[in-house]
Amino acid sequence: QQQVKQSPQSLIVQKGGIPIINCAYENTAFDYFPWYQQFPGKGPALLIAIRPDVSEKKEGRFTISFNKSAKQFSLHIMDSQPGDSATYFCAASGGYQKVTFGIGTKLQVIP
Amino acid sequence: NAGVTQTPKFQVLKTGQSMTLQCAQDMNHEYMSWYRQDPGMGLRLIHYSVGAGITDQGEVPNGYNVSRSTTEDFPLRLLSAAPSQTSVYFCASSYSVTGGQPQHFGDGTRLSIL
């Protein structure tokens, strides 16, 4: 049972576009929702995270939108750059650190 | 401060062989975990540990053993390698054992089972 559903699996945008990656979760006990960025040959690295008591969080060009009632959250990348080309994972955890990851979105930003 | 260090980076095994994937962290994190990453399946939790001497199973534990004798080290053992265990393995650590904190990942071990 996939507890965190992520879409799309791949995404191509032009430089300056705003890619949006969506995730949905089922377990209402989840209380921490991080996004990780992974470059080829490297491990995932924390990009930005949100807790369910806020509806939006911005860090630089990256924004998380959170809809607690719909159990959905999304990542927006403003003014995307070729250097943002990577795989992005949403995740969710609650209580002890058994983090559940989405399947990942491979983003390509075309110059 | 090296963070999370995994060795080896690449390994090829024959079916039935055993091996140990090493993971060490120098951040004094209590929580450590092992994931495998397969195309279209994201990261799946194999085993995790909330402190020295304490381990538990994750989502896909079969065929793998772990132990945690020190805070720093969390090795993953493949008992009898199978082609289905061909994957990229990531070790991670976190400051918090109760959640709500990010995990720090190593750069992975790419394992092929022939």
Side-chain angles (χ1 to χ4, degrees), chain B residues 80-98:
Chain B
S80 177
S84 61
Q85 294 179 304
T86 294
S87 187
V88 182
Y89 292 85
F90 288 100
C91 178
S93 72
S94 178
Y95 171 77
S96 171
V97 300
T98 56

Side-chain angles (χ1 to χ4, degrees), chain A residues 16-102:
Chain A
I18 306 175
I20 301 172
I21 304 170
N22 299 298
C23 286
Y25 64 98
E26 300 169 0
N27 189 344
T28 55
F30 289 149
D31 60 5
Y32 178 66
F33 301 88
W35 285 87
Y36 289 85
Q37 180 187 54
Q38 184 182 29
F39 293 105
K42 296 294 186 181
L46 180 71
L47 185 64
I48 185 173
I50 197 168
R51 299 182 194 277
D53 53 346
V54 298
S55 60
E56 185 176 275
K57 183 174 181 180
K58 293 182 180 180
E59 287 189 4
R61 296 184 293 106
F62 300 92
T63 299
I64 300 178
S65 297
F66 190 87
N67 186 330
K68 186 175 180 179
S69 61
K71 293 186 287 186
Q72 295 175 346
F73 57 110
S74 59
L75 176 70
H76 297 64
I77 306 176
M78 308 302 290
D79 188 27
S80 59
Q81 301 296 313
D84 296 330
S85 297
T87 298
Y88 293 82
F89 293 95
C90 63
S93 69
Y96 285 90
Q97 276 267 29
K98 291 183 73 172
V99 181
T100 299
F101 286 83

